[in-house]
Amino acid sequence: MMGQYHIKKPLNNNVIICTRQQKEVVVIGKGIGFNKKPGMVVDDEAMIEKIYALEHKTQQEHYKALIEEADDAVIQAVIDAINMITNSDIEIDGNHLVVSLTDHIIFAYKRLKQNQYISNPFTMETKHLYPEAYKISASVIHQLNSVLPIQFPEDEIGFIALHIASNMENLTISQMNHINDLISKCIQIIEHDLHQSIDMSSIQYQRFIRHVQFLIRRLSKGETIKSQTEFENMLKAHYPLCYNIAVKIMKMMQKQLGVTVYEAEVVYLTLHINHLTQ
């Protein structure tokens, strides 16, 4: 029968590794692994909640090791968290998320039990850049806090939002951290040169970091925009300080990204920086 899942290994009461048409899959469902043995067949589709095809052997081994070392309550909380994300309106690759998020939550839980808190310097940037992912992540953290005996701090919302967003946008976590780091450097330059702190809850700030994010992506892909010499000269004359800050930011990005940044980009950056002074 085509639809049968042959049990290769029950990982716990709710997670089993099966083979179907010679492919290994993770099958998740409440009680699906109870009293199951390798070689048995799962026919009951009603019990199956989710099926994940973990393509790479290393992914499979890593996932198995994670499930086997965590206790059932934590695993169930992780499964519920992943279901919340994959059942939401956002388009996401569940196969990649299931491993990275299981890994993250299990280790975060262990850390927090030992009172080891890691602060997240990019929580504000993440919140503004990926509002949908952040909103779902906040619900996930609320859910985890209601079922587990520890409290995940607000910084964890940002970490989990990054996992969600990286699966939405096909960016790796390290690429996203790199983007956040560049945004953070931009803000440091602006605050230093303007002698004022930037209101990170303002619409202007949100627009600025979105602009920078898309600028970094464009630069990484080698895309350029047309030069606007007259407009550039006008901005230089009217907003010399903002213009000079924009040039500084462009040079910093050029160095950090190892790409050529054309002067046409300065126009938009100057406008955004000027808006931040308002």
Side-chain angles (χ1 to χ4, degrees):
M1 182 181 156
M2 292 283 279
Q4 285 186 334
Y5 293 89
H6 295 269
I7 298 173
K8 193 171 177 184
K9 187 175 190 183
L11 296 183
N12 73 0
N13 279 338
N14 307 323
V15 185
I16 52 179
I17 301 289
C18 294
T19 51
R20 184 185 187 186
Q21 297 164 330
Q22 277 90 51
K23 283 197 175 156
E24 204 167 283
V25 291
V26 175
V27 179
I28 292 172
K30 280 201 171 66
I32 203 160
F34 184 67
N35 276 342
K36 296 289 196 298
K37 302 275 187 293
M40 286 182 172
V41 171
V42 179
D43 267 336
D44 189 0
E45 303 250 335
M47 287 182 87
I48 297 174
E49 288 172 27
K50 284 276 189 312
I51 296 162
Y52 296 106
L54 303 183
E55 306 294 328
H56 306 292
K57 201 83 192 128
T58 49
Q59 265 192 331
Q60 291 171 9
E61 296 311 316
H62 186 43
Y63 185 74
K64 285 178 204 170
L66 285 169
I67 299 290
E68 286 172 331
E69 72 176 45
D71 65 60
D72 277 10
V74 178
I75 294 303
Q76 194 49 51
V78 171
I79 290 168
D80 292 341
I82 291 166
N83 283 344
M84 280 175 81
I85 298 162
T86 54
N87 294 340
S88 69
D89 291 338
I90 60 173
E91 276 185 44
I92 201 147
D93 181 349
N95 291 336
H96 288 285
L97 186 74
V98 71
V99 182
S100 69
L101 207 57
T102 300
D103 183 274
H104 179 84
I105 295 171
I106 286 172
F107 282 104
Y109 178 75
K110 279 186 182 167
R111 268 201 340 263
L112 295 167
K113 264 178 86 173
Q114 292 161 357
N115 291 320
Q116 294 172 359
Y117 292 89
I118 295 179
S119 67
N120 185 347
F122 302 129
T123 298
M124 285 300 280
E125 282 88 346
T126 306
K127 189 174 187 174
H128 295 313
L129 282 172
Y130 311 108
E132 288 173 274
Y134 195 89
K135 195 175 165 189
I136 292 168
S137 181
S139 306
V140 164
I141 290 293
H142 178 74
Q143 168 69 13
L144 290 172
N145 284 343
S146 66
V147 296
L148 293 174
I150 54 139
Q151 290 296 295
F152 285 78
E154 199 170 335
D155 280 346
E156 282 295 327
I157 299 177
F159 286 132
I160 288 178
L162 272 186
H163 279 278
I164 298 169
S166 75
N167 279 280
M168 286 162 66
E169 305 207 350
N170 294 323
L171 287 172
T172 65
I173 297 284
S174 66
Q175 285 171 318
M176 297 179 81
N177 281 333
H178 187 45
I179 288 174
N180 285 339
D181 185 42
L182 285 172
I183 288 168
S184 181
K185 284 187 167 80
C186 291
I187 295 298
Q188 280 166 18
I189 292 170
I190 293 167
E191 289 187 330
H192 176 270
D193 286 21
L194 288 178
H195 305 295
Q196 72 175 70
S197 58
I198 300 304
D199 176 8
M200 293 194 179
S201 61
S202 68
I203 299 273
Q204 288 86 343
Y205 171 77
Q206 291 174 41
R207 284 190 193 127
F208 173 77
I209 64 172
R210 281 218 175 93
H211 175 75
V212 171
Q213 185 200 31
F214 292 121
L215 167 59
I216 293 165
R217 280 206 218 137
R218 280 207 324 273
L219 293 174
S220 304
K221 288 177 185 167
E223 292 171 12
T224 57
I225 54 172
K226 276 197 197 115
S227 183
Q228 307 171 65
T229 316
E230 279 177 46
F231 196 31
E232 201 175 313
N233 291 337
M234 188 270 285
L235 287 176
K236 210 185 264 188
H238 279 77
Y239 310 113
L241 178 58
C242 294
Y243 185 88
N244 287 337
I245 294 170
V247 171
K248 255 191 202 179
I249 286 174
M250 298 315 293
K251 284 181 178 165
M252 179 271 290
M253 283 192 178
Q254 194 153 296
K255 195 176 165 197
Q256 295 281 330
L257 294 166
V259 294
T260 306
V261 181
Y262 296 95
E263 280 187 16
E265 298 287 357
V266 175
V267 168
Y268 295 103
L269 262 180
T270 304
L271 287 172
H272 278 287
I273 293 163
N274 181 53
H275 289 151
L276 285 171
T277 67
Q278 306 295 300

